[in-house]
Amino acid sequence: MARTCGMLEAIHTAAAAASTVAAVPNSTELKMELQSLMNQILDGEDHSLEITVEVLKILTALEELKKKSSDSLKVIDDNAIVPDEFKCPISRELMADPVVLATGQTYDRAFILRWLNDGHRTCPQTRQVLSHTILTPNHLVREMISHWCEKHGVEVPRLISDVEDNVVGDADRDYLNSLLEKMYSSLSDQKKAAKELRLLTKRMPSFRALFGELTGSIPKLFSPLSLGTADSHPDLQEDLITTFLNLSLHNDNKQLIAENLFVIPLLIEALKSGTMETRSNAAAALFSLSTLDSNKILIGKSGALKALIDLLEEGHLLVMKDAASAIFNLCIVPDNKARAVHDGAVRVILKKIMENVLVDELLAILAMLASHQKAVEETRELGAVSCLLSIIRRGTSERNKEYCAAILHTVCLNDRTTWREFKDEENGNHTLSKLAVNGNSRARRKAKGILERLVSADIIIHNAR
């Protein structure tokens, strides 16, 4: 009878789960329970109303499973029976996004998240209490499902995106703390913990938020990195810098990270000496942090712009776009604009534009810098006028033509020595006249402004004669 009570308890638990996330035992388990209960009735061991009710519940559950199975098979080839290992234990349907729970069981992400978001902290199958709620993608099962679907002409299940991964419990806080404590341990432990933290902060937004709640989390995280020796272990540096990038994506962390005295210097060092991926992620982290206005000033004063410009000049395509994005964002602040010009941004940007590298992004930065007088002088000295006029004449991007017109308008207004070059281009190709008619609104306005200045100059010269 004790065994019967245990079975009844298991069925009650399964029924409770079904009310929240449809977590019911599979048909084999139900049939076994039904057989056990029927044997007790037939043997005269138990004729109570309670056990009769349980039998009816199981029969109802079996009928529902049969109906679900029938419905799911309507879209599947008659000869293609979905293997049990491809079905989510909760939904009993083909998994779209299989993930592994702490107990090692695989579930469909959407359904196990609903289970966890409802407050459960046990594994639906094993009933074990979870040591943490981290979900690890099961790439092997996902790939096997894709191959199976392709083989049987079945559409690969679509990912369900209506459930947010916002589960954070005491176990998760303890787990995060344990990983951070390993930053003070052996090099081997540091590397393992850093890799795990990188993955966690990438996959789980809830863990990014959790960092800001834990006292001393940022100092603990960068403790293995010390200025001047941060690149001694490139893999460790890469994982920790990438973790900083992931953390910076959470708005509440941006100020916390940037105001720590060591983080920005470590990011600058990573820009100079890390692997290509480390340097790219360091630049991306600075871009992310700079979305907060107060951080733009902090980062600008730190000397990061020079490191970003040097990275841009090196020309590694993997990192150039991140560096350009960070420079653009930082130069929204006037003081940073002056710093970028002083650190050689105009020369580097024009060189890359003339090489036809990252033209869209770099023209946007140059248009922003062009309001600085020294940038105007360098633009003329480096032969940018003919280059920019050529982009307007030959280019197809309306936005790039707009940027070129804006830069040239500033140059025209501030440097009379460029007027002859403008006039020659206009006489030979009517580049500005065409833009004044066919460009977007801002480009037309800037082109007309240049033409008016040139016409005015001609009138002055004519009257002088």
Side-chain angles (χ1 to χ4, degrees):
M1 189 63 187
R3 181 175 178 274
T4 303
C5 291
M7 292 178 182
L8 293 177
E9 184 180 351
I11 295 170
H12 281 305
T13 306
S19 66
T20 56
V21 290
V24 297
N26 60 39
S27 59
T28 302
E29 293 170 339
L30 288 171
K31 287 175 183 178
M32 289 175 62
E33 300 295 344
L34 179 61
Q35 181 66 52
S36 175
L37 293 173
M38 290 301 296
N39 287 340
Q40 292 176 50
I41 292 173
L42 293 174
D43 293 341
E45 183 179 334
D46 193 339
H47 295 282
S48 67
L49 177 60
E50 182 183 20
I51 200 168
T52 304
V53 170
E54 296 301 331
V55 168
L56 291 174
K57 283 183 179 179
I58 293 175
L59 289 172
T60 301
L62 283 169
E63 184 63 28
E64 289 177 355
L65 282 177
K66 182 179 179 181
K67 184 177 183 300
K68 282 186 179 180
S69 178
S70 175
D71 290 342
S72 63
L73 287 175
K74 287 178 183 177
V75 295
I76 298 177
D77 184 345
D78 289 340
N79 297 320
I81 305 301
V82 181
D84 283 341
E85 58 268 27
F86 295 168
K87 296 178 183 177
C88 174
I90 296 174
S91 68
R92 300 307 302 161
E93 296 174 356
L94 194 61
M95 289 187 282
D97 189 7
V99 293
V100 182
L101 200 57
T103 56
Q105 308 297 318
T106 295
Y107 297 90
D108 205 349
R109 182 184 294 274
F111 292 96
I112 191 61
L113 276 177
R114 288 174 186 168
W115 168 267
L116 295 172
N117 285 337
D118 281 341
H120 299 288
R121 288 298 179 268
T122 58
C123 173
Q125 281 186 290
T126 66
R127 306 298 168 189
Q128 288 177 258
V129 176
L130 300 174
S131 59
H132 58 77
T133 59
I134 299 158
L135 304 177
T136 305
N138 194 329
H139 297 298
L140 177 60
V141 170
R142 172 67 177 164
E143 186 176 352
M144 291 169 67
I145 289 174
S146 297
H147 286 316
W148 182 88
C149 289
E150 183 179 353
K151 178 179 178 181
H152 294 282
V154 177
E155 184 178 355
V156 178
R158 294 183 180 180
L159 300 179
I160 300 174
S161 57
D162 63 341
V163 179
E164 295 185 2
D165 184 359
N166 57 8
V167 184
V168 176
D170 291 338
D172 301 310
R173 289 183 176 83
D174 292 342
Y175 185 61
L176 177 55
N177 264 324
S178 70
L179 291 174
L180 291 172
E181 289 301 324
K182 288 181 180 178
M183 293 296 109
Y184 299 110
S185 187
S186 66
L187 178 61
S188 175
D189 284 344
Q190 287 176 350
K191 289 185 175 184
K192 289 177 183 176
K195 195 166 292 296
E196 179 71 359
L197 286 166
R198 175 179 179 172
L199 293 173
L200 283 175
T201 52
K202 177 184 179 181
R203 293 198 305 258
M204 298 182 67
S206 55
F207 264 75
R208 298 174 201 158
L210 189 56
F211 261 84
E213 300 174 13
L214 297 179
T215 304
S217 56
I218 299 299
K220 287 179 182 178
L221 183 60
F222 69 66
S223 60
L225 302 178
S226 56
L227 291 173
T229 61
D231 60 340
S232 301
H233 302 283
D235 52 342
L236 178 60
Q237 183 191 34
E238 181 179 307
D239 286 335
L240 291 177
I241 293 298
T242 306
T243 299
F244 277 121
L245 167 60
N246 295 339
L247 291 173
S248 73
L249 300 177
H250 191 276
N251 286 334
D252 292 344
N253 289 338
K254 293 183 188 295
Q255 186 171 357
L256 177 71
I257 294 173
E259 290 185 350
N260 186 286
L261 295 177
F262 294 97
V263 173
I264 293 177
L266 284 171
L267 290 174
I268 293 173
E269 185 166 319
L271 289 176
K272 298 176 179 178
S273 60
T275 65
M276 280 299 109
E277 185 170 357
T278 299
R279 300 168 90 179
S280 176
N281 290 339
L286 288 170
F287 167 74
S288 177
L289 292 172
S290 68
T291 58
L292 195 65
D293 286 344
S294 59
N295 285 350
K296 289 182 176 69
I297 299 170
L298 284 174
I299 296 170
K301 290 180 177 178
S302 71
L305 274 164
K306 181 65 169 67
L308 289 166
I309 293 166
D310 290 344
L311 198 58
L312 195 64
E313 185 171 22
E314 287 185 29
H316 295 281
L317 290 178
L318 178 66
V319 299
M320 282 184 69
K321 198 156 190 174
D322 289 315
S325 297
I327 293 169
F328 179 87
N329 224 29
L330 290 168
C331 287
I332 293 173
V333 175
D335 286 350
N336 286 342
K337 193 182 301 184
R339 290 186 181 100
V341 173
H342 180 268
D343 289 335
V346 174
R347 177 185 59 79
V348 173
I349 288 171
L350 281 172
K351 181 174 182 292
K352 294 302 175 185
I353 290 174
M354 291 175 182
E355 294 172 354
N356 200 34
V357 176
L358 222 61
V359 174
D360 298 0
E361 292 83 354
L362 297 182
L363 278 174
I365 300 174
L366 189 60
M368 184 181 293
L369 298 179
S371 61
H372 193 278
Q373 183 57 39
K374 189 173 188 297
V376 173
E377 296 170 5
E378 290 187 13
T379 299
R380 176 184 59 79
E381 292 168 0
L382 294 167
V385 172
S386 61
C387 171
L388 298 175
L389 286 168
S390 175
I391 292 174
I392 294 175
R393 186 172 66 249
R394 301 174 183 174
T396 57
S397 168
E398 292 303 316
R399 179 55 60 85
N400 285 353
K401 292 179 181 180
E402 174 193 325
Y403 288 143
C404 289
I407 297 165
L408 291 171
H409 183 264
T410 302
V411 171
C412 178
L413 293 182
N414 290 276
D415 193 338
R416 295 169 61 94
T417 64
T418 61
W419 289 2
R420 174 60 61 185
E421 198 168 359
F422 282 113
K423 290 168 67 175
D424 290 345
E425 175 70 24
E426 188 60 21
N427 290 335
N429 300 297
H430 307 292
T431 300
L432 294 170
S433 297
K434 292 175 183 177
L435 186 64
V437 174
N438 301 318
N440 64 31
S441 60
R442 185 169 182 239
R444 291 198 305 270
R445 188 169 67 254
K446 296 299 183 182
K448 288 176 182 177
I450 296 172
L451 290 170
E452 288 170 0
R453 179 55 62 98
L454 297 178
V455 169
S456 175
D458 281 341
I459 292 173
I460 293 170
I461 294 171
H462 180 73
N463 290 340
R465 290 174 183 172

